[in-house]
Amino acid sequence: METAKYIERNIPDFELLTEEALQVIEENAEIVLEEIGVNFVNNPGALARWKEAGAEIEGERVRIPRGLARKLCATAPSRFTQVARNPAKNVEIGGRNLVLAPVYGPPFVHDAMGGRRYATLEDFRNFVKLGQMSRWLHHSGGTVCEPTDIPVNKRHLDMLHSHMTLSDKPFMGSVTEPSRAQDSVDMCGVLFGEAFVQQNTVMTSLININSPLTFDDVMMGALEVYAANNQACIISPFIVGGAMAPVSVAGTLTQVLAEVLAGVAYSQLVRPGAPVIFGAFVTSIDMNSGAPTFGTPEAAQITYGAGQLARRLGLPYRSAGSFNGSKLPDAQAAYETSNTLNNGLLAGVNFMLHSCGWLEGGLVASYEKFVMDADQLGVLHKMAAGVSVDESAQAMDALREVGPGGHYLGCAHTQAHFKTAFWRSELLDYKPFETWSEEGGRDTMQLASDRVRKLLDSYQKPEMDPATAEALAAFVAEKKAAVPDSFM
Amino acid sequence: METAKYIERNIPDFELLTEEALQVIEENAEIVLEEIGVNFVNNPGALARWKEAGAEIEGERVRIPRGLARKLCATAPSRFTQVARNPAKNVEIGGRNLVLAPVYGPPFVHDAMGGRRYATLEDFRNFVKLGQMSRWLHHSGGTVCEPTDIPVNKRHLDMLHSHMTLSDKPFMGSVTEPSRAQDSVDMCGVLFGEAFVQQNTVMTSLININSPLTFDDVMMGALEVYAANNQACIISPFIVGGAMAPVSVAGTLTQVLAEVLAGVAYSQLVRPGAPVIFGAFVTSIDMNSGAPTFGTPEAAQITYGAGQLARRLGLPYRSAGSFNGSKLPDAQAAYETSNTLNNGLLAGVNFMLHSCGWLEGGLVASYEKFVMDADQLGVLHKMAAGVSVDESAQAMDALREVGPGGHYLGCAHTQAHFKTAFWRSELLDYKPFETWSEEGGRDTMQLASDRVRKLLDSYQKPEMDPATAEALAAFVAEKKAAVPDSFM
């Protein structure tokens, strides 16, 4: 199946917050950075960089004078190209574009046949295959699920190897140890050539901020490796509203902006010009159960507002996804997901991680939901294309030809355009009730289950130069042999 | 359960089309009215009114000189109040408001226990009860399902009687015969007093245009009755794109605008100042199966565009709803519904018919989906409230109190606001996997099924003055006795 080009929006963004509200938040974020500050934990190098840049250091606390962080952010590019091994699948991140990547991080998988279980490398490989075959998915992602059967200290090698060989779309690197980030860079050197990697961005990796206002050494260590090697990072507050941020939208946006300003500024201290993305992972806590909730109006408001703040800062923006808290790919999962996908499109998101496959608050990668969401991503493509009013779209000939009381099914305009006029799901049911009923009365999960099987059965590995394939396999084997297994 | 006030938007509309595109469409709509014209079928009175107003009549074709229809629309109010028998539930239709009403028209019902079957009066009464108990539903609607066990020529009496006695929210009148519209007006005279009805709008009824460009005598006859009695009508093109309108968004918008201009203008010829709503029911045809499709990007684009056209015309706007083509209240139903509900909110819809309960392209009213959708309507309320940046919302005290590495669960700001900070579903599952699993691993349909039973079991009839109740029952009995049953 051919992969669609990343989305180039031909529609406006939804500007939820007023100019005045945005100014209040920007002012408050500067106060947070200057008066409260942020912690860089176990990271003397970072403290030294900050001190030299003019920040006030007290223990691990970094207080950043008004305007300094924003000024440092100015060297970050407003858009960048992430190169794929198939150059037709390069993506341009930033501007009016939207790049879609799959779910990231779940330790469990779920499918209709086998239920919920720990994820394995086989699952991981299956999700990469499904991603490769998804028309509306531009990016292969990163930890599409945790291959829990592989030692923790070696997983990243198998994951990268799967992305590199089973897909020809762009992918993400490891962030769980600085050394694994370096392995990711080195392995990209094998795939793309070392010099090429230094001159091109070939990975976009996820650096979470330990909200509130804390930058831990593992994530910062990975960021340092990637920035030094000109590889892109999403610098992303991880917000469960009410727990890691205030219960109000404006308060949360203030914290998100302060955190991103500090994180992006730090990336530019490591290497001015390093490509970064303004991230915002947002959910809120259910005050009755303590569970995170998804597809809620407050999360949408924060996503809209953070998009406005990112544009004012001139940075690419990452947010939204196929978020939901359901245990099954059912109506709850779809309501919450659809709320969030629509929100993400109109909020001006440039890179949407988790755009398909997310279930149960991110604990689960769902096979069925992966293909259900991936199908819905087609809606975003068509919506973003906007509305033409060229002569053909005006259809005045059709209106004249048909006239009052007629129908348009056979008119010349319809005949000329019906094949491309309407977006059409490749999954959902459009059949008459009787046909649907005779065919077993399948619900969406069952239709998706059939589609998963069909896709995996017909998967074809993208071609790769045999020498490169061999070198990649050798790199993985050598790295794995060098250290004992660890599941810690 | 207390009913929420209708939504008063504190957020902007999403302006999808450019000024230039809107001007092209407005210009083309005038050309359609002037050069192609519209048909008023079997309606010599309408032709006479149009002739007197300055239109050119040829057979049943009415060609409307440029600018005339728009000029006639100017006497229609930009907003109006529909009075409920419980004045706390009056709704203001127009402006920045959004009034939510349930599904309209399905001949079938579906529930998890009984499957799909013809709707009866008992079903009708159940849906009115569910509507009365739905916190986020402001309006009792009209034909929430077709009570197919009641003669066609007497159904409207039972339906109105159910709305008037089982609910105290505002409702819709009958449009299936002009005489039934008159019965609706007369029955409102019994409920509200005849003089009151002449001075207040107590019904908002649905007048479909027989697209393309055709106004049939039944619907226009009902419109004439309502307009003459100062009762509101939604004047609504019924568009299945590709069949009743061109396959392009701009072409469809042109036709929608031309039809609404002609219909609203005609209402003002009947009675200048009669309250009306700019309607747009939009779906498109699946060119493979011929089925109507829902939740698609083209329908969303038309809904956004028609909202812009309605605002430029200064009329309240009706569109969107819980549209979907699924046979079950499953993920497909929810994706398509959620796409459309979000679209409707941001498109500036003022009156959303079908906002809950729609299934299978409108053939089916679903018990479970009714409560599922009705719950999601809460998301729209909170989203529409917008984002505060007052001192409390800025939460600077909380940010200072918690600082880097802390958490917000116990801070003073959270304690003060957590009860109202986040919208919370009354239906969806927020439990840990283990609890959810122990409780039976129910999907959304099953959760909704339990909720339907619980709501119907705890329903309480709103109080009514016994003399009024007796007079309404007598009106219905007398009307029914006056003519033989007809199922035609």
Side-chain angles (χ1 to χ4, degrees):
Chain A
M1 203 178 306
E2 210 181 326
T3 301
K5 194 178 177 192
Y6 53 83
I7 292 173
E8 297 169 286
R9 286 183 182 80
N10 193 28
I11 61 172
D13 297 314
F14 184 62
E15 308 286 352
L16 178 68
L17 270 64
T18 61
E19 171 68 25
E20 185 203 350
L22 294 166
Q23 284 178 10
V24 167
I25 289 162
E26 287 173 340
E27 166 67 17
N28 285 347
E30 294 289 349
I31 294 172
V32 168
L33 291 175
E34 184 165 60
E35 297 182 14
I36 304 172
V38 299
N39 281 1
F40 275 74
V41 180
N42 288 333
N43 197 339
L47 299 177
R49 282 194 180 98
W50 273 116
K51 190 171 183 184
E52 198 188 322
E56 180 194 317
I57 312 299
E58 181 187 348
E60 298 191 319
R61 185 71 57 96
V62 178
R63 291 194 177 82
I64 307 171
R66 174 177 302 257
L68 175 60
R70 186 170 284 265
K71 195 179 134 212
L72 289 170
C73 289
T75 53
S78 62
R79 51 196 295 162
F80 62 90
T81 301
Q82 182 182 352
V83 175
R85 74 166 166 106
N86 176 351
K89 297 186 180 175
N90 291 358
V91 292
E92 177 85 11
I93 298 173
R96 304 296 304 140
N97 300 343
L98 171 55
V99 173
L100 300 167
V103 61
Y104 185 105
F108 298 100
V109 296
H110 182 279
D111 67 16
M113 317 277 274
R116 184 187 194 257
R117 59 190 186 274
Y118 275 104
T120 64
L121 183 59
E122 193 194 339
D123 292 311
F124 187 98
R125 294 167 60 88
N126 284 336
F127 280 110
V128 173
K129 291 176 184 176
L130 290 175
Q132 170 71 1
M133 299 181 82
S134 293
R135 182 193 303 272
W136 309 117
L137 208 59
H138 316 115
H139 202 282
S140 195
T143 309
V144 287
C145 60
E146 278 286 348
T148 61
D149 53 338
I150 307 294
V152 168
N153 61 340
K154 300 182 179 178
R155 267 176 211 172
H156 63 292
L157 299 164
D158 286 316
M159 292 196 276
L160 275 168
H161 191 243
S162 301
H163 283 301
M164 289 176 175
T165 55
L166 301 177
S167 174
D168 62 0
K169 299 185 181 184
F171 53 83
M172 305 171 78
S174 176
V175 297
T176 52
E177 277 288 343
S179 67
R180 295 173 199 154
Q182 188 60 53
D183 284 349
S184 305
V185 172
D186 295 343
M187 205 163 156
C188 281
V190 177
L191 180 63
F192 291 101
E194 281 177 30
F196 189 90
V197 169
Q198 291 306 314
Q199 287 150 21
N200 294 275
T201 297
V202 296
M203 283 180 288
T204 297
S205 303
L206 178 62
I207 302 296
N208 281 326
I209 296 167
N210 199 344
S211 303
L213 303 171
T214 303
F215 296 77
D216 71 55
D217 55 331
V218 172
M219 281 285 168
M220 287 305 104
L223 168 69
E224 289 156 16
V225 170
Y226 286 125
N229 287 280
N230 197 34
Q231 299 307 307
C233 288
I234 306 165
I235 297 182
S236 211
F238 186 92
I239 302 283
V240 179
M244 287 92 142
V247 289
S248 67
V249 169
T252 299
L253 283 169
T254 299
Q255 184 182 310
V256 164
L257 180 57
E259 292 178 349
V260 170
L261 281 169
V264 170
Y266 182 64
S267 74
Q268 302 303 301
L269 289 177
V270 175
R271 172 164 167 164
V276 284
I277 298 176
F278 181 135
F281 173 86
V282 181
T283 164
S284 52
I285 201 168
D286 171 37
M287 289 293 182
N288 290 26
S289 66
T293 60
F294 299 91
T296 59
E298 297 81 18
Q301 289 169 338
I302 294 167
T303 302
Y304 284 125
Q308 293 176 278
L309 295 168
R311 287 191 288 282
R312 289 159 71 97
L313 200 48
L315 290 176
Y317 176 45
R318 169 257 162 152
S319 196
S322 57
F323 297 149
N324 69 95
S326 191
K327 313 300 182 291
L328 294 170
D330 59 0
Q332 174 175 354
Y335 281 123
E336 293 175 344
T337 291
S338 183
N339 286 347
T340 314
L341 292 179
N342 284 291
N343 173 215
L345 176 69
L346 299 190
V349 168
N350 298 117
F351 187 85
M352 195 190 291
L353 193 58
H354 308 298
S355 71
C356 61
W358 170 290
L359 198 69
E360 205 190 313
L363 286 175
V364 173
S366 157
Y367 277 89
E368 283 83 12
K369 189 150 180 295
F370 193 101
V371 301
M372 287 157 57
D373 295 336
D375 181 68
Q376 281 292 302
L377 297 178
V379 175
L380 305 190
H381 282 72
K382 186 71 189 286
M383 184 67 210
V387 176
S388 168
V389 288
D390 67 15
E391 198 181 323
S392 164
Q394 290 183 43
M396 289 299 281
D397 288 350
L399 285 155
R400 286 198 173 89
E401 181 183 338
V402 173
H407 72 76
Y408 289 82
L409 292 170
C411 81
H413 184 266
T414 302
Q415 290 300 312
H417 300 289
F418 78 91
K419 279 186 184 164
T420 56
F422 301 132
W423 176 81
R424 189 177 194 281
S425 167
E426 296 172 48
L427 169 69
L428 301 179
D429 160 58
Y430 294 150
K431 292 177 176 159
F433 177 80
E434 292 69 20
T435 314
W436 171 83
S437 190
E438 278 160 23
E439 291 179 2
R442 291 173 296 170
D443 69 5
T444 316
M445 178 161 72
Q446 291 169 293
L447 291 172
S449 184
D450 293 349
R451 185 170 167 81
V452 167
R453 205 165 29 253
K454 204 176 289 179
L455 285 174
L456 290 179
D457 285 349
S458 64
Y459 166 80
Q460 290 186 314
K461 208 169 163 174
E463 279 181 36
M464 177 177 271
D465 163 52
T468 307
E470 208 173 299
L472 285 173
F475 181 96
V476 170
E478 195 178 310
K479 277 279 169 187
K480 283 186 162 185
V483 287
D485 290 357
S486 164
F487 276 91
M488 293 288 283
Chain B
M1 205 180 304
E2 211 180 323
T3 301
K5 194 177 178 192
Y6 53 84
I7 292 174
E8 297 170 285
R9 285 182 183 81
N10 194 28
I11 61 172
D13 298 314
F14 184 62
E15 308 285 352
L16 178 69
L17 271 64
T18 62
E19 172 68 25
E20 185 203 351
L22 294 166
Q23 283 179 9
V24 167
I25 289 163
E26 288 174 340
E27 166 68 16
N28 284 348
E30 293 288 350
I31 294 172
V32 167
L33 291 174
E34 184 165 62
E35 295 181 15
I36 303 172
V38 298
N39 280 1
F40 275 75
V41 180
N42 289 333
N43 197 338
L47 299 177
R49 283 193 180 98
W50 274 117
K51 190 169 183 187
E52 199 187 322
E56 181 195 315
I57 311 299
E58 181 188 349
E60 297 190 321
R61 185 71 58 95
V62 178
R63 292 193 177 81
I64 306 171
R66 173 178 300 256
L68 174 60
R70 189 169 281 266
K71 196 179 133 209
L72 290 169
C73 289
T75 53
S78 62
R79 53 195 294 164
F80 62 90
T81 301
Q82 181 181 353
V83 176
R85 75 166 165 107
N86 176 349
K89 296 187 180 175
N90 291 358
V91 291
E92 177 85 10
I93 298 173
R96 304 295 305 141
N97 301 343
L98 171 55
V99 173
L100 300 167
V103 61
Y104 185 106
F108 298 100
V109 294
H110 182 279
D111 67 17
M113 318 277 273
R116 184 187 194 255
R117 59 190 187 274
Y118 275 104
T120 64
L121 183 59
E122 193 192 339
D123 292 310
F124 187 97
R125 293 166 60 90
N126 283 337
F127 280 110
V128 172
K129 291 176 184 175
L130 291 175
Q132 170 70 3
M133 299 180 82
S134 293
R135 182 193 302 272
W136 308 116
L137 207 61
H138 317 114
H139 201 283
S140 195
T143 309
V144 287
C145 61
E146 279 286 347
T148 60
D149 54 337
I150 308 293
V152 167
N153 61 340
K154 300 180 179 179
R155 270 177 208 173
H156 63 293
L157 299 164
D158 285 316
M159 291 197 277
L160 275 167
H161 190 244
S162 301
H163 282 300
M164 289 176 175
T165 56
L166 301 178
S167 174
D168 63 359
K169 298 186 181 184
F171 54 83
M172 305 171 78
S174 175
V175 296
T176 51
E177 277 289 344
S179 67
R180 295 173 199 155
Q182 188 59 53
D183 284 348
S184 304
V185 172
D186 294 344
M187 207 164 154
C188 281
V190 176
L191 179 63
F192 290 100
E194 281 177 30
F196 188 91
V197 170
Q198 291 307 312
Q199 287 149 20
N200 294 276
T201 297
V202 296
M203 284 180 287
T204 298
S205 304
L206 179 61
I207 302 296
N208 282 326
I209 296 167
N210 199 344
S211 302
L213 302 171
T214 303
F215 295 79
D216 70 55
D217 54 331
V218 172
M219 282 285 169
M220 287 305 106
L223 168 69
E224 289 156 15
V225 170
Y226 285 125
N229 288 280
N230 197 34
Q231 299 307 307
C233 288
I234 306 165
I235 298 182
S236 212
F238 187 94
I239 302 282
V240 179
M244 287 90 142
V247 289
S248 67
V249 169
T252 298
L253 283 169
T254 300
Q255 183 182 309
V256 164
L257 179 58
E259 292 178 349
V260 170
L261 281 169
V264 170
Y266 182 64
S267 75
Q268 303 303 302
L269 288 177
V270 174
R271 171 163 167 166
V276 285
I277 299 176
F278 180 134
F281 173 86
V282 181
T283 164
S284 52
I285 201 169
D286 170 37
M287 289 293 182
N288 289 26
S289 66
T293 60
F294 299 91
T296 59
E298 298 81 18
Q301 290 169 335
I302 294 167
T303 301
Y304 284 124
Q308 294 177 278
L309 295 168
R311 287 192 289 281
R312 289 160 71 97
L313 200 50
L315 291 176
Y317 176 44
R318 169 258 161 151
S319 197
S322 57
F323 298 148
N324 69 95
S326 190
K327 314 299 182 290
L328 294 169
D330 60 2
Q332 173 174 355
Y335 281 123
E336 294 176 344
T337 290
S338 184
N339 286 347
T340 314
L341 293 180
N342 284 291
N343 172 216
L345 176 68
L346 299 191
V349 167
N350 299 116
F351 187 85
M352 195 190 291
L353 194 58
H354 309 298
S355 71
C356 62
W358 169 289
L359 198 68
E360 203 190 314
L363 286 175
V364 172
S366 158
Y367 277 88
E368 284 83 11
K369 190 149 180 295
F370 193 101
V371 301
M372 287 156 57
D373 295 336
D375 180 67
Q376 281 291 303
L377 297 178
V379 175
L380 305 190
H381 283 71
K382 187 70 190 287
M383 184 67 212
V387 175
S388 168
V389 288
D390 66 16
E391 198 181 323
S392 163
Q394 289 182 45
M396 288 301 280
D397 287 349
L399 284 155
R400 286 197 175 89
E401 181 182 340
V402 173
H407 73 74
Y408 289 83
L409 291 169
C411 80
H413 184 265
T414 302
Q415 291 300 313
H417 300 291
F418 78 91
K419 279 187 183 161
T420 55
F422 301 133
W423 175 79
R424 188 177 195 282
S425 167
E426 296 172 47
L427 168 69
L428 301 179
D429 161 57
Y430 295 148
K431 292 178 177 160
F433 178 80
E434 292 70 21
T435 315
W436 170 82
S437 189
E438 278 160 23
E439 292 180 0
R442 290 173 296 170
D443 69 6
T444 317
M445 178 160 73
Q446 291 168 295
L447 291 172
S449 184
D450 293 349
R451 184 168 166 86
V452 166
R453 205 166 28 252
K454 203 176 290 180
L455 286 173
L456 290 179
D457 285 350
S458 63
Y459 167 81
Q460 290 188 314
K461 206 168 164 174
E463 279 183 33
M464 178 178 269
D465 163 54
T468 307
E470 205 173 304
L472 285 173
F475 181 97
V476 170
E478 195 178 308
K479 276 279 168 186
K480 283 187 160 185
V483 286
D485 289 356
S486 163
F487 276 89
M488 293 288 283

